[in-house]
Amino acid sequence: MTIPNSENFLSGGSSLPCTPEEEKEIVLELTRAAEANQKEGDLYYVVSQRWWRDWQEYVGFDRFREHSSKGHLSILSRPGRIDNSKLVLNRTDTEGNELDLQRHLQEGEDYTLVPHEVWKKLLEWYKGGPELPRKVISEGVIVKELRVEVYPLCLKIIDARDDSQRTIRISRKASVGELYKIVCALLELEQSKARIWDYYEKSKNYILTNFDQTLEDAQLQVDQEILLEVQRDGIWPSNFNTNPTGNEYALVPLEPSRSSITIAGGPTLSNSNSTGFGTHLLQGNSFSLPLRDADGDGILNNGSKVDGRGLTGLHNLGNTCFMNSAIQCLVHTPPVVEYFLKDYSDEINEENPLGMQGELAIAFGELLRKLWSSGRTSIAPRAFKAKLARFAPQFSGYNQHDSQELLAFLLDGLHEDLNRVRKKPYIEARDADGCPDQEFADECWKNHKARNDSVIVDVCQGQYKSTLVCPVCSKVSVTFDPFMYLSLPLPSTVTRMMTVTIFSGDGSSLPMPFTVTLPKNGCCKDLIRALSTSCCLKSSEALLLAEVYDHRIYRYLENPFESLSSIKDEEHIVAYRVPITHDKLLRLEIMHRRTNKKLIGTPLVTYLSKDSVTGANIHAAVSAVLAPLLRAKAFPPMNQVKFSKENGGGPSLDSIVLTDDGTCSSDKDISTSNMELEERANGLPSLQLALTDEKGVSRTFIDTDSSVFPVSCIRVLMDWSDREHELYDFSFLEDLPEVFKSGFMLKKTRQEAVTLFSCLETFLKEEPLGPDDMWYCPSCKEHRQATKKLDLWRLPEILVVHLKRFSYSRFLKNKLDTFVNFPVHNLDLSKYVKHRAVGPHSYVYELYAISNHYGGLGGGHYSAYATLIEEDSWYHFADSHVSPVNEDEIKTSAAYVLFYRRVKDDSKMSVEETSSSTNSTSC
């Protein structure tokens, strides 16, 4: 496209160089071009999200207008100058680098990123600033990803010559050689006479000598110190082999050893009197770890410190509390601790294409053994974070992430790195197709184990039954799938409250709003079913759903399988009670208009026979549906009313009278007999009616003796003068409630108790699939919004339960701080397990760890509670700080991921494996 010339732009920004639509098209075109040709080194610019939203609304981006009034393009003022000042930590530029951003900023919440060319245009149009450029970097080893490095490394240079300090910013993907060049240029030094130490926690850890290594692989962290030493007369400073703490064990490489010797044994510790989990595993091994390394604090040998095994904290390396929380829960999982403290070298799978060549398992094992060695206060998991960044670039950098997402990656990555299956056989997945559940479940588990066999599968994986039913052909599909953890929705996140106003189609009752609770992934059929129950719908009736907008029927919701997601909370939905045979009748829509030609109120809908459509029929039908709105003083005396059949003055509605005898208790208050309706209608003056179009614009007056050409839908316009308002109470047709009003029943919802069992029951409840998760029905040969039902079949030794507190949609991000009451002891899941024949194991669990999240979405803080099993005592792990906590304090609304272990039932002997192996029948 041709981009308008910007030479004549006024510096003050008072002129409008482009229309809003032109600005939008220019930005879209430039953005598409940048994304199509994105490469490492490209520049993006940080822009205030508040300003960006104002601009998007100004130019009319559709995604910001979907919730606004239909048909109305609001006229918004042009945004002012770009203001990024609140994003900047300080206005003092560091040594030749870009400005420092406030920490903990979140993309989409605090800022957005725009390509360089887009920034240039925005700056030309609006001026302002400051400019905040950031480069695109390439991350990952197995899967390469391009990301904008919003937060580059901030390193503090300490000059050993005079202890002066300077701060530089450099990409974590820059090489050690580039770091040397920048530092030496800054201080005007010869590179051959300078050396740089990793000076994390002000300890000389090691000299940076591998010039090709990236700073991330060198495990340098944000805000850490590096020590610069300068050679004088060919001699390095005399204290190069010591560190300020005087600890002789300072110079220990951070890179985990690859030898089987290091992997084989846990550390041998001198304190043989220590207690706590793993003591029997730690003693008697022939290999030991150093008592001090670059990742840890020193040992306190003054006798005042207890053993501390399993009570070691983890340094926060820059928004890594999410990682620390997940790690502490894992390293306090008894079978995981037992496994990694023993020799697992033979099980490392370096050939698995789905794994990480064993490097993740080695790094995790090294970290676990450090955490379970005695005498430590806290350690910095720098080596582990570097490995994580290499293989999971989504967790690189220094943004806050989700502890459950990291946990899912860790469990899966450890499994693949430790998979005992070296060559996975090809096994085609299939449906049960009538096979008995027991046989098919065993076959599926056997097939799964043939490809996946590791300590993670042994202790963390279970199996559930999944049943899908096609809503059209009723095809049933049954599969048995493994699970690593249960992600349980909070009840309020899977249901939706909807308010719909129901109108009578024959004038038998007043309009009445009904509020129903439905599954979020439900369809219109579910809404109709719930409303039918609430309003006591008769067997001879049906409900016709419609959306009312601007006093007109905007659309009919006649497809029973249309997703409820198409109905927004702020919309106005009505339902008309109509004859069950309405598809054989003629629909009559009635709109209302003031004398000033402005539409008012809510349209009414009734039906006529197709045989003979006359003006008299239409007048009589409109009078009938308006009858419930008659004011008491407008009722004619009964002796003055004559039946229409006798007079011939109006049509008989016998053809559409609802004949079912069932009535609701409320009908006495809001219903009127058909005879009374006809009587009242015949006693009232004629109405001002005109044929019109769907927008209510055209008008053709209807005489009682005129004939009307029958079409699928007849629309009439009724004029409301003072006379009509005196006769009818029009307030019943005004002020339709929205589908859902924010804050409605909020107090009640907060008071409702939510238990872990209610979350589990919500998870196991049958529900329709979402519109974006359609199932391909092999019978229909089409994608269908099937109903899905899950059942627990096989439970693991370690049960991880994820409470889905975070919800994301295109327009909304939300966190639920609902308190979930979960048992610490005796979580009995017996009644939820469908498969009991081969179940000798106990279904009772004990809680041993919790990953907590405090605060709001996109930030906040993670911590963990964990128990030392042999001590049966709880501790709080908040990064490097570890403290005891009472058991009655661990149940909070911050609980996010729960870790349970099975309580062994010694009275039963495990026969599961025996039964599975002897059952050779395959269906």
Side-chain angles (χ1 to χ4, degrees), residues 13-141:
S14 59
S15 66
L16 299 182
C18 300
T19 65
E21 183 63 28
E22 288 172 338
E23 284 189 17
K24 180 176 75 172
E25 291 304 317
I26 291 171
V27 169
L28 284 174
E29 186 69 21
L30 292 175
T31 301
R32 291 190 198 103
E35 292 176 349
N37 301 287
Q38 192 179 64
K39 62 185 181 301
E40 193 172 0
D42 284 352
L43 276 182
Y44 275 69
Y45 284 75
V46 179
V47 178
S48 163
Q49 186 70 20
R50 176 178 293 182
W51 186 92
W52 180 249
R53 281 201 191 102
D54 289 344
W55 179 82
Q56 287 185 310
E57 291 185 5
Y58 168 66
V59 301
F61 264 88
D62 291 341
R63 64 175 179 272
F64 286 88
R65 303 203 159 274
E66 191 160 320
H67 287 287
S68 62
S69 298
K70 295 180 179 66
H72 290 281
L73 183 63
S74 55
I75 300 175
L76 299 173
S77 60
R78 191 169 187 264
R81 294 166 64 88
I82 301 170
D83 184 8
N84 292 332
S85 59
K86 292 185 179 180
L87 303 180
V88 179
L89 187 61
N90 55 64
R91 295 303 303 268
T92 304
D93 200 357
T94 55
E95 307 289 347
N97 284 275
E98 58 268 4
L99 294 171
D100 194 12
L101 291 178
Q102 296 276 1
R103 299 302 167 88
H104 312 301
L105 296 180
Q106 295 293 317
E107 184 177 1
E109 296 290 329
D110 305 297
Y111 68 88
T112 193
L113 295 167
V114 299
H116 178 59
E117 294 301 322
V118 171
W119 170 255
K120 286 170 58 180
K121 278 296 171 188
L122 293 175
L123 198 60
E124 288 177 352
W125 293 333
Y126 294 95
K127 311 304 177 188
E131 294 191 4
L132 301 170
R134 293 296 186 264
K135 286 186 178 180
V136 173
I137 60 175
S138 176
E139 295 187 308
V141 175

Side-chain angles (χ1 to χ4, degrees), residues 237-248:
S238 59
N239 64 340
F240 76 95
N241 58 347
T242 62
N243 72 71
T245 66
N247 193 312
E248 59 183 322

Side-chain angles (χ1 to χ4, degrees), residues 759-817:
C759 295
L760 181 60
E761 288 162 3
T762 301
F763 173 73
L764 298 175
K765 184 180 179 181
E766 182 180 69
E767 65 174 359
L769 295 175
D772 298 326
D773 190 26
M774 305 282 271
W775 171 64
Y776 182 79
C777 175
S779 179
C780 297
K781 307 297 184 185
E782 288 187 29
H783 285 89
R784 301 292 190 193
Q785 191 176 7
T787 57
K788 184 175 184 177
K789 174 74 171 72
L790 295 177
D791 293 296
L792 298 180
W793 190 264
R794 187 189 309 260
L795 294 181
E797 178 183 350
I798 298 298
L799 182 64
V800 181
V801 178
H802 165 222
L803 300 176
K804 297 174 71 174
R805 294 192 177 276
F806 300 104
S807 62
Y808 303 90
S809 68
R810 187 177 177 186
F811 302 99
L812 183 65
K813 298 179 181 179
N814 186 37
K815 184 201 171 186
L816 294 173
D817 287 315

Side-chain angles (χ1 to χ4, degrees), residues 403-526:
S403 68
Q404 187 273 332
E405 292 179 1
L406 173 65
L407 178 70
F409 169 80
L410 275 180
L411 289 174
D412 188 63
L414 291 174
H415 156 64
E416 296 294 356
D417 269 6
L418 300 170
N419 199 342
R420 304 176 186 113
V421 179
R422 293 311 195 250
K423 187 176 181 181
K424 295 187 178 185
Y426 172 75
I427 301 175
E428 186 175 356
R430 70 182 188 90
D431 186 85
D433 198 23
C435 181
D437 284 351
Q438 174 66 60
E439 295 180 16
F440 189 58
D442 288 345
E443 177 188 331
C444 291
W445 187 251
K446 181 180 177 182
N447 292 342
H448 175 65
K449 291 278 286 185
R451 293 173 53 84
N452 303 276
D453 186 16
S454 70
V455 63
I456 303 299
V457 174
D458 294 343
V459 301
C460 295
Q461 286 197 355
Q463 187 183 37
Y464 61 75
K465 175 185 176 183
S466 175
T467 305
L468 291 168
V469 180
C470 177
V472 177
C473 71
S474 299
K475 161 71 177 174
V476 178
S477 171
V478 175
T479 57
F480 287 86
D481 303 304
F483 67 84
M484 192 90 76
Y485 49 86
L486 296 178
S487 285
L488 304 187
L490 275 61
S492 58
T493 64
V494 295
T495 59
R496 178 183 183 188
M497 295 176 63
M498 301 183 72
T499 298
V500 176
T501 304
I502 296 182
F503 289 82
S504 168
D506 65 348
S508 60
S509 60
L510 286 168
M512 182 71 65
F514 290 89
T515 300
V516 293
T517 301
L518 302 160
K520 277 189 176 179
N521 289 334
C523 54
C524 289
K525 180 178 68 175
D526 301 313

